[in-house]
Amino acid sequence: MAISVSHYGFMPDGKEVKLYSISNNNDVTLQLINLGATLQSLYTPDKYGRVNDITIGFDSLYGHLNFTDYQGKVVGRYANRIANGSFSLGGKKYQLTQNEKDKTCLHSAGEFSDAVWDAIIADDNAVEFSYTSPDGTSGFEGNLTAKVRYTLTEDNKVVIEYSAVCDKDTVMNFTNHVYFNLNGSAMSDVLDHEMQMNASHYVPIDADSIPTGEIREVKGTAFDFNAPCTIGKRIYDNDEQLTLARGYDHNFCLCHKEGEADATVKEPVSGRVLKMYTDLPGVQLYTGNFLDGSVIGKGGIPIVKHAGFCLETQFYPDSPNQPDFPSCVFKAGEEFKSTTVFAVSVEE
Ligand code: GLA
């Protein structure tokens, strides 16, 4: 294994952004940049051995800075939405930045994803990023230090390990917002990708994409991916939940079956297979519903609707306001620790 480091660009304030490339012996290359601890690209062979990048995003800092929809970025300290940008903890009410529709706090107003993280080469196949969020940022309390370590293994796994500690009680939820397209380019959308997911329930949302509080069975709905189904087959079904989100943009409650991936996605023409494993209770399946082709991405290709899908592993959205959801509260000094794996392979 080998890691190479190169210059990627300069931020408006002069800070340097670097590109880290890790390659294994199977033609898989993982590229990372320290802006947003971003998974910049993942090159993998298709069933004929042709190597392409299976992530959608930007090939310049300019793209990341001006047009991002969190492509490849790490999101924290609380990924996803918090209703009305407020919650109570320990009897105290917190008012956060309302960066979506002047109402919701989405992805903690982009703090972690917009930050330039420190980086170290942690091993011959691993890079570790760290960032400290000062007390009070976006309305959250406590100094919080987060680390994200990416490893590329010889068996073609991208292992993402998150750890974080805060010096005050707080809520935490870290994810990676990478958009995949197993075709290896954004020339075609992901509607033909076949998805299988071990999730018996999902979390319905309101018009602001905030959970209603219900945890609904997927059985008999367009949200049932227990048996494999293409992403596109039911995406335009007459289902209020799909209409509200213009497609899938929902948290699925994972069953975590021993020895099985939580989700498996296959693209029939390239033969590429992506398996996702996580120890977190949920995953946001987002099918790029709000992408509209107005932004130019990698290779000069417009990023159209459904150009990629995200599997954002997470605590359920708005958990700080939902006492019945798994708790995302961490005491002062208590460590947040979580691992998500994306494993790539091919199938004939
Ligand atoms: C963010 C979220 C997605 C989706 C989009 C909508 O990127 O992570 O789940 O809701 O916003 O634009």
Side-chain angles (χ1 to χ4, degrees):
M1 280 275 198
I3 300 191
S4 65
V5 186
S6 55
H7 175 77
Y8 191 73
F10 286 113
M11 293 290 284
D13 67 0
K15 263 191 208 150
E16 188 178 16
V17 177
K18 288 187 175 167
L19 176 77
Y20 301 81
S21 298
I22 315 176
S23 298
N24 71 9
N25 290 320
N26 312 313
D27 288 333
V28 176
T29 297
L30 169 67
Q31 294 191 317
L32 310 163
I33 60 172
N34 57 321
L35 168 66
T38 294
L39 195 167
Q40 167 63 23
S41 47
L42 180 60
Y43 290 87
T44 78
D46 68 6
K47 67 181 175 191
Y48 306 106
R50 292 177 300 212
V51 176
N52 303 105
D53 179 6
I54 60 163
T55 70
I56 300 305
F58 305 101
D59 37 28
S60 70
L61 197 51
Y62 184 82
H64 282 291
L65 292 178
N66 292 290
F67 306 119
T68 186
D69 266 307
Y70 304 93
Q71 278 88 350
K73 290 181 165 182
V74 167
V75 183
R77 89 176 52 179
Y78 195 86
N80 215 306
R81 295 178 171 84
I82 297 180
N84 302 309
S86 82
F87 68 100
S88 295
L89 182 62
K92 185 171 168 182
K93 189 173 178 208
Y94 293 90
Q95 184 57 57
L96 311 171
T97 307
Q98 292 161 292
N99 62 314
E100 191 181 45
K101 301 182 191 165
D102 289 328
K103 197 171 178 190
T104 306
C105 182
L106 171 62
H107 297 325
S108 302
E111 182 200 353
F112 284 66
S113 47
D114 291 345
V116 176
W117 295 51
D118 291 330
I120 54 164
I121 293 178
D123 209 329
D124 68 348
N125 63 346
V127 175
E128 187 174 280
F129 296 103
S130 56
Y131 169 70
T132 297
S133 166
D135 185 18
T137 313
S138 311
F140 290 99
E141 201 169 272
N143 300 290
L144 185 150
T145 296
K147 292 190 171 152
V148 179
R149 182 182 172 119
Y150 289 92
T151 306
L152 175 66
T153 68
E154 278 302 349
D155 57 354
N156 306 328
K157 291 187 172 119
V158 175
V159 181
I160 312 176
E161 291 166 282
Y162 303 85
S163 61
V165 175
C166 187
D167 61 6
K168 297 233 174 90
D169 294 359
T170 192
V171 294
M172 289 198 229
N173 194 16
F174 290 92
T175 197
N176 185 293
H177 203 302
V178 58
Y179 294 70
F180 291 105
N181 183 324
L182 303 184
N183 290 304
S185 100
M187 286 296 276
S188 37
D189 63 36
V190 296
L191 296 183
D192 70 336
H193 288 41
E194 188 185 278
M195 165 94 57
Q196 190 278 328
M197 198 193 293
N198 293 328
S200 55
H201 292 77
Y202 79 105
V203 172
I205 52 170
D206 67 13
D208 293 324
S209 295
I210 296 294
T212 58
E214 181 189 347
I215 294 185
R216 188 178 290 175
E217 263 198 274
V218 296
K219 209 169 171 190
T221 75
F223 291 80
D224 190 350
F225 285 99
N226 286 285
C229 184
T230 60
I231 291 176
K233 182 156 185 216
R234 303 164 302 189
I235 200 168
Y236 293 119
D237 273 11
N238 184 16
D239 175 314
E240 187 214 8
Q241 283 298 313
L242 291 169
T243 313
L244 278 174
R246 302 193 200 173
Y248 297 100
D249 189 6
H250 295 79
N251 177 77
F252 287 72
C253 311
L254 295 169
C255 302
H256 294 314
K257 293 191 182 159
E258 186 68 33
E260 286 185 33
D262 293 299
T264 301
V265 186
K266 298 182 183 179
E267 197 288 306
V269 179
S270 68
R272 288 192 178 93
V273 180
L274 179 81
K275 287 180 184 281
M276 184 282 284
Y277 303 81
T278 186
D279 49 16
L280 288 169
V283 64
Q284 186 88 4
L285 170 62
Y286 174 48
T287 46
N289 316 330
F290 296 93
L291 305 173
D292 62 4
S294 62
V295 159
I296 305 299
K298 290 175 181 174
I301 302 168
I303 306 181
V304 297
K305 191 171 184 184
H306 309 315
F309 68 91
C310 305
L311 290 170
E312 304 160 57
T313 57
Q314 61 185 1
F315 284 105
Y316 304 174
D318 198 31
S319 294
N321 291 309
Q322 296 283 353
D324 294 336
F325 289 0
S327 173
C328 60
V329 173
F330 289 80
K331 294 273 171 207
E334 186 190 347
E335 191 178 24
F336 173 103
K337 226 172 157 31
S338 153
T339 303
T340 291
V341 174
F342 292 110
V344 294
S345 58
V346 285
E347 226 174 63
E348 287 308 312

